[in-house]
Amino acid sequence: MIRSGPGRLFFTVLVALLFLFLLGPVLLVFPLSFAADSVITWPPSGFSVKWYLALLGQPDLALALRNSLVLAAIVTGLALVVALPAAVAIGRGQFAGRDALMTLISMPLLLPTIVLGLALLILFVGQGLIGSWTGLVLAHLLVTVPYALRVLVTALGTLPASVEEAASSLGAPALSVFFRITLPLMAPGLIAAAAIVFLVSFDEVVITLFIVGPKLTTLPVALFHYVESRTDPLVAAVSVLMVLFSLGLVAVLERAVGLRRAVGGKGG
Amino acid sequence: MTQAAPGTAPHLLLDRLEKRFGTTLAVQALSLSVGRGELLGLLGPSGCGKTTTLRMIGGLMPASGGRIVVAGRDVTALPPHRRDMGIVFQNYALFPHMTVAQNLSFGLEMRKVPAAERAARVQKALEMVRLGAFAARRPRELSGGQQQRVALARALVIEPSILLLDEPLSNLDANLREEMRNEIRDIQQRLGITAVFVTHDQAEALAICDRIAVMRGGVLEQLGTPYEIYERPASEFVAGFVGRANRMAAVREASGAVQLGPLRLQGSGEAAPGPVTVMIRPHRIALCDAVPEGEGWNGATGRVARSTFIGDLLSLEVEIGGASLLVEQHTFAGRAMPRPGEAATLRWRAEDTLVFPRSAAA
Ligand SMILES: Nc1ncnc2c1ncn2[C@@H]1O[C@H](COP(=O)(O)OP(=O)(O)OP(=O)(O)O)[C@@H](O)[C@H]1O
Ligand SMILES: [Mg+2]
């Protein structure tokens, strides 16, 4: 521990610089979004809220936002339905190859997303899944289930098996043990998993780029295309809203369960 | 003492029970029976298979071989929720998201006991462990001793046919441990419930158990009352594990007498002539004025090597013909304190001179 003197000062400055480096670009979009200019310039020549008002006149972006929210909600529900039984099997089951299975399911996290996107494109084209809700949901599940599984397995790991054993010794069959004991005790993990899945899905752009079609697109992809042709501060305004939305979700999560506990730290 | 009356069937019977983990045998050919209303202690050093045995009885772990029979019925293949056994875990394993009352109520709900009766039984069980006022608390709002009592009440409120306790006191401090062990014994006797109590603390086992099964390396070493285990240990291991003892290498002659260095001793025990181990408990050796003559007594003179006053005990180390004997005496006001270097005369009974075949281990 560095407690005092120049060492401490150095440490503080280092941390401050690190934060600035990490958060600088994010912080920058706040003033940019209030710029009065019609192209992104730094520093802005004046301030206004016109780009926020301009958002209202963008039906394409509004539709993409609606799509993204619906998609994230569906993906969140399905990812939990898939990941919960898998987490219980991996966290509580005793079978050969448990670790191998966990590694296999975590694989999409380790592969370059561009490779996944290409693979899905090849796979989906023949099935007519490109530009379809089914295709988007499947692609997002592939990316998000590993996250959900990680969080849920961690949540199960912090749950002592003896509590479940106590329940079964008191006369509870396996299903009662699960619904009366295991599931309620996993609630923080479930909420955390849901929030993370929602955010990852809402944010996903690389793989989604390959899957979307002309009639069905998501907000990040729509923004991506928007900045390809235009460079006005509208995207900054959207970015600000997305940052605030994400922060809001994290704040709710922290309030509800304590983020650190939910993702497996000590605390609590 | 409540024990299986001769002729009546045992309440719990373990028949050549066995547990294998890969190639290691954690429990081997364990056969024993527990009478109705009996409190049986499973005692042994760490890793000897006590928990494994208890978990097999409770159905939390499948047996690799052998049978578990309760009241004449083979339960070996039954899952835990159909065994009707109450288990008290070392870490209590209370349900953290439920109140104390809900913890107790859980087992009754699983048994489809009507709500009104449930509430009454929960309250009665809580009062039995003197926690009547704590029904609405959460487990984390209780002290260790209180949590322990909730765990006990939760296991008892379902009126199980057998109560299993795995080192239920090991997380408590010494004073509370003694109080709680007596409380467990009281309740067990009042309810007349059959119980298996796992511990590695020999004092705890001696104090409250009707009979004790001493285990070592997955094998039952001796099964007997606390008196038998302590006074007539079946092996060098049991004598050393239960209570303390001086342990010396000696030779038994064909006559039965034991030659310990220059000393010729009378000993108890069936050990055949040849190399033996002699064990004598420190407090069974007395300081006296003259080496006793005659049947039934052994004696020796030696030199005090160390003398320690520990309040209620006087602890001496006495050198006798090459061996060093630990001697413990109760103190009383005015008792003379032998000093290092002084001569001391000792005597002890032949029955207290335990003779065992010399074993390589232990
Ligand atoms: N799940 C397991 N897998 C492999 N080996 C095990 C397992 N559980 C126990 N063992 C082994 O079985 C033996 C007996 O273990 P057990 O837990 O029954 O000991 P114990 O007598 O309860 O000890 P303690 O007093 O330390 O609790 C030990 O050698 C242990 O390493
Ligand atoms: Mg144990």
Side-chain angles (χ1 to χ4, degrees):
Chain A
M1 272 275 151
I2 302 162
R3 288 188 186 283
S4 61
R8 188 193 166 111
L9 183 69
F10 173 76
F11 190 69
T12 312
V13 169
L14 190 72
V15 169
L17 284 176
L18 205 66
F19 267 103
L20 206 63
F21 176 72
L22 289 174
L23 295 178
V26 177
L27 294 177
L28 212 58
V29 300
F30 281 78
L32 278 179
S33 72
F34 289 103
D37 311 274
S38 54
V39 291
I40 291 180
T41 47
W42 186 261
S45 62
F47 292 98
S48 80
V49 294
K50 72 175 186 187
W51 294 111
Y52 286 92
L53 295 174
L55 271 180
L56 297 173
Q58 290 283 340
D60 288 357
L61 285 185
L63 185 65
L65 169 66
R66 203 209 62 183
N67 286 344
S68 273
L69 288 174
V70 170
L71 178 64
I74 294 173
V75 167
T76 302
L78 288 180
L80 289 188
V81 167
V82 172
L84 185 60
V88 171
I90 289 174
R92 284 293 183 261
Q94 281 163 357
F95 53 90
R98 263 178 49 195
D99 294 344
L101 185 64
M102 186 74 195
T103 311
L104 191 72
I105 298 180
S106 303
M107 208 69 125
L109 290 180
L110 306 173
L111 286 176
T113 33
I114 191 95
V115 173
L116 275 180
L118 275 171
L120 285 178
L121 180 67
I122 295 163
L123 205 67
F124 283 5
V125 162
Q127 316 297 320
L129 289 172
I130 298 299
S132 75
W133 279 100
T134 316
L136 273 181
V137 167
L138 285 177
H140 278 210
L141 279 178
L142 187 70
V143 189
T144 54
V145 163
Y147 285 102
L149 193 67
R150 285 258 154 207
V151 174
L152 293 180
V153 167
T154 305
L156 259 181
T158 57
L159 234 184
S162 62
V163 174
E164 291 165 355
E165 291 174 350
S168 66
S169 78
L170 288 167
L175 274 184
S176 302
V177 173
F178 182 74
F179 285 108
R180 295 282 313 269
I181 308 296
T182 315
L183 203 55
L185 290 178
M186 280 178 75
L190 281 169
I191 295 174
I196 289 169
V197 167
F198 193 95
L199 284 179
V200 168
S201 164
F202 190 72
D203 212 32
E204 200 332 290
V205 58
V206 179
I207 293 177
T208 316
L209 266 174
F210 290 90
I211 313 290
V212 291
K215 293 212 194 67
L216 177 61
T217 193
T218 66
L219 185 60
V221 172
L223 284 176
F224 185 77
H225 288 313
Y226 187 93
V227 294
E228 273 178 340
S229 51
R230 325 250 290 268
T231 52
D232 58 43
L234 184 97
V235 284
V238 179
S239 302
V240 165
L241 294 181
M242 284 179 77
V243 167
L244 292 180
F245 174 69
S246 299
L247 281 181
L249 205 58
V250 170
V252 167
L253 184 66
E254 176 67 40
R255 259 293 162 78
V257 292
L259 192 59
R260 262 156 289 118
R261 197 177 69 179
V263 296
K266 280 254 166 73
Chain B
M1 248 180 229
T2 42
Q3 278 197 36
T8 63
H11 191 183
L12 169 67
L13 179 86
L14 307 185
D15 179 22
R16 283 166 292 133
L17 199 60
E18 185 178 293
K19 181 69 194 182
R20 237 178 253 281
F21 291 112
T23 54
T24 58
L25 264 175
V27 175
Q28 341 182 3
L30 180 65
S31 294
L32 57 81
S33 64
V34 189
R36 199 168 282 281
E38 184 179 17
L39 175 58
L40 178 88
L42 277 185
L43 177 67
S46 186
C48 72
K50 308 179 295 287
T51 297
T52 305
T53 304
L54 200 79
R55 290 174 63 81
M56 284 192 287
I57 299 175
L60 303 176
M61 191 181 260
S64 315
R67 290 187 313 145
I68 300 161
V69 181
V70 176
R73 195 165 74 110
D74 189 327
V75 301
T76 320
L78 284 187
H81 67 274
R82 293 182 46 210
R83 289 208 184 182
D84 194 24
M85 296 186 187
I87 306 182
V88 179
F89 292 81
Q90 180 169 3
N91 64 357
Y92 316 138
L94 299 176
F95 307 133
H97 59 305
M98 298 185 190
T99 64
V100 166
Q102 286 166 341
N103 265 274
L104 265 66
S105 186
F106 184 82
L108 298 175
E109 284 168 46
M110 292 301 134
R111 283 170 168 65
K112 311 253 185 308
V113 174
E117 185 190 338
R118 237 162 37 212
R121 276 169 72 176
V122 165
Q123 196 53 35
K124 206 174 129 215
L126 280 180
E127 266 147 30
M128 178 178 69
V129 295
R130 298 185 281 121
L131 285 177
F134 292 77
R137 294 260 192 114
R138 301 252 165 194
R140 66 169 170 277
E141 298 161 351
L142 301 176
S143 74
Q146 289 165 340
Q147 289 182 32
Q148 210 281 330
R149 292 209 287 264
V150 174
L152 182 64
R154 185 181 66 176
L156 285 172
V157 73
I158 58 173
E159 294 172 8
S161 90
I162 292 172
L163 179 66
L164 306 174
L165 307 110
D166 189 0
E167 311 221 16
L169 307 178
S170 59
N171 285 342
L172 305 178
D173 65 47
N175 288 334
L176 196 57
R177 198 147 63 210
E178 207 168 308
E179 186 186 320
M180 281 305 302
R181 84 176 183 212
N182 294 333
E183 203 161 315
I184 288 176
R185 175 57 159 167
D186 277 356
I187 291 172
Q188 181 265 335
Q189 289 206 307
R190 221 174 329 130
L191 302 180
I193 192 166
T194 308
V196 179
F197 184 103
V198 163
T199 178
H200 63 256
D201 180 341
Q202 43 104 7
E204 206 167 276
L206 290 172
I208 66 170
C209 296
D210 291 310
R211 283 190 308 157
I212 299 172
V214 182
M215 291 181 69
R216 175 200 194 190
V219 178
L220 179 62
E221 191 85 7
Q222 186 176 5
L223 177 64
T225 63
Y227 182 85
E228 287 162 355
I229 297 283
Y230 190 84
E231 298 293 353
R232 293 200 287 281
S235 66
E236 187 182 333
F237 170 78
V238 175
F241 189 75
V242 182
R244 291 175 311 129
N246 290 291
R247 181 196 305 257
M248 292 154 296
V251 175
R252 184 160 232 176
E253 293 167 0
S255 66
V258 175
Q259 195 71 38
L260 173 69
L263 292 176
R264 221 180 140 71
L265 306 175
Q266 308 164 47
S268 77
E270 312 285 278
V276 292
T277 300
V278 170
M279 300 184 75
I280 312 165
R281 302 207 185 273
H283 67 279
R284 295 284 167 86
I285 305 173
L287 291 167
C288 59
D289 298 329
V291 172
E293 302 284 332
E295 276 301 298
W297 286 96
N298 287 316
T301 54
R303 195 154 294 283
V304 176
R306 189 162 53 196
S307 167
T308 317
F309 175 73
I310 331 176
D312 52 349
L313 279 185
L314 172 65
S315 169
L316 301 175
E317 222 176 281
V318 181
E319 307 280 357
I320 50 161
S324 170
L325 270 186
L326 186 65
V327 177
E328 279 175 4
Q329 303 285 282
H330 283 292
T331 52
F332 47 84
R335 162 152 227 165
M337 296 292 149
R339 282 177 219 280
E342 285 180 6
T345 306
L346 308 173
R347 69 163 194 202
W348 64 93
R349 290 175 189 278
E351 300 98 293
D352 288 327
T353 313
L354 307 169
V355 185
F356 299 103
R358 184 144 354 134
S359 67

